[in-house]
Amino acid sequence: HYLMSLAHMNHCAERRSFTRREALEMGEEYVVGGIHRSVEDLVADCIHRGILEVDGMGGLSFGHLTYQEYLCAEYLAHENNVTFITKLLLNPWWKKVLDFYAARKQNIGPLFEECCKRGLNGHSAARLLELAELAPLTARRHMNVARVVT
């Protein structure tokens, strides 16, 4: 959950790296007794395992943007805030995150419903249909509504 939250925070800021201080602040609520003695130990463990990398300027990152995108998608799947997700639907920075999200959820019916409530346009409908290809348990009735709009 720590890594998902860290990836989400970073992706919302549309950046690939973050400071050690940000990693430490985010980690405060995730320190589990018996595993890590402190948040510094948690961050050091993530670096040691290669989950987080230190860049040339002393900042931290997930190394490859795809790792950040995947963990951010896991965060979205866990939180499932479809209102938030609808706002990202056409943002290119979030494309891969939403692809991972759809594949993880398998059913993005609630996302279709939220988009319909907000007013579905052709571009949004087309993007939802792309995502539905990755979420095979999405009901056809949702896709049919989107097809009419496109």
Side-chain angles (χ1 to χ4, degrees), residues 27-120:
E28 287 294 331
E29 67 184 273
Y30 296 100
V31 174
V32 177
I35 298 175
H36 300 103
R37 291 185 310 241
S38 67
V39 69
E40 290 85 4
D41 287 346
L42 170 64
V43 172
D45 187 35
C46 290
I47 293 167
H48 175 74
R49 293 172 188 264
I51 299 165
L52 296 177
E53 294 183 9
V54 180
D55 66 24
M57 304 290 285
L60 298 173
S61 76
F62 290 96
H64 196 287
L65 180 59
T66 303
Y67 301 143
Q68 176 175 304
E69 291 167 326
Y70 174 78
L71 287 165
C72 185
E74 285 292 318
Y75 177 92
L76 293 180
H78 185 264
E79 296 296 318
N80 204 30
N81 182 344
V82 292
T83 302
F84 175 77
I85 296 167
T86 59
K87 296 173 186 171
L88 310 172
L89 204 57
L90 299 176
N91 184 329
W93 174 251
W94 289 86
K95 183 188 182 317
K96 197 63 171 171
V97 172
L98 296 184
D99 289 349
F100 284 134
Y101 166 82
R104 171 70 167 77
K105 291 301 284 186
Q106 295 288 297
N107 175 3
I108 58 168
L111 185 57
F112 272 89
E113 291 167 6
E114 182 66 23
C115 286
C116 286
K117 279 196 298 190
R118 294 177 165 273
L120 194 58

